Amino acid sequence: MASTLVKIDIHLIFHVKSTGAKMRTEDLGRIFAYIGGIIKGIGGLPIEIGSMTDHVHILTPLPKTVSLADFVRAVKADSSKWMKQLDPYYAA
């Protein structure tokens, strides 16, 4: 039986909450590494992660076992929770 290969690359962009603190330039490397770890943890492979101080860009293939909604929810929720614990600056 023939098999089918499906690969969906996504470019995810999300903005820092308008009432929240912008990301500090000196924290970006740690934030990118953490987001990369989240993606790997749900079966993905981060290709590129970058940002400005008010938004994040992520390029990655969507894991076969995760819906797009669950993928975005995991990345946004886990990274937000971690950043709030990273420094009181982000807790606002």
Side-chain angles (χ1 to χ4, degrees), residues 2-90:
S3 62
T4 304
L5 172 67
V6 176
K7 182 179 177 198
I8 302 172
D9 289 334
I10 58 172
H11 179 190
L12 173 63
I13 304 168
F14 60 93
H15 197 272
V16 174
K17 193 181 210 180
S18 61
T19 58
K22 293 189 178 189
M23 295 177 288
R24 294 183 296 209
T25 306
E26 61 268 19
D27 294 332
L28 292 179
R30 291 172 62 192
I31 293 168
F32 299 163
Y34 190 81
I35 291 173
I38 294 169
I39 293 170
K40 289 176 185 174
I42 55 178
L45 177 66
I47 296 171
E48 189 73 35
I49 302 173
S51 77
M52 299 299 284
T53 58
D54 65 345
H55 68 277
V56 176
H57 291 259
I58 300 169
L59 178 62
T60 183
L62 183 64
K64 294 187 289 187
T65 59
V66 181
S67 72
L68 179 58
D70 289 341
F71 180 84
V72 173
R73 184 179 310 109
V75 171
K76 288 182 68 177
D78 292 354
S79 62
S80 175
K81 183 178 177 183
W82 177 78
M83 284 180 63
K84 289 175 182 172
Q85 296 172 352
L86 175 67
D87 192 303
Y89 171 80
Y90 295 114

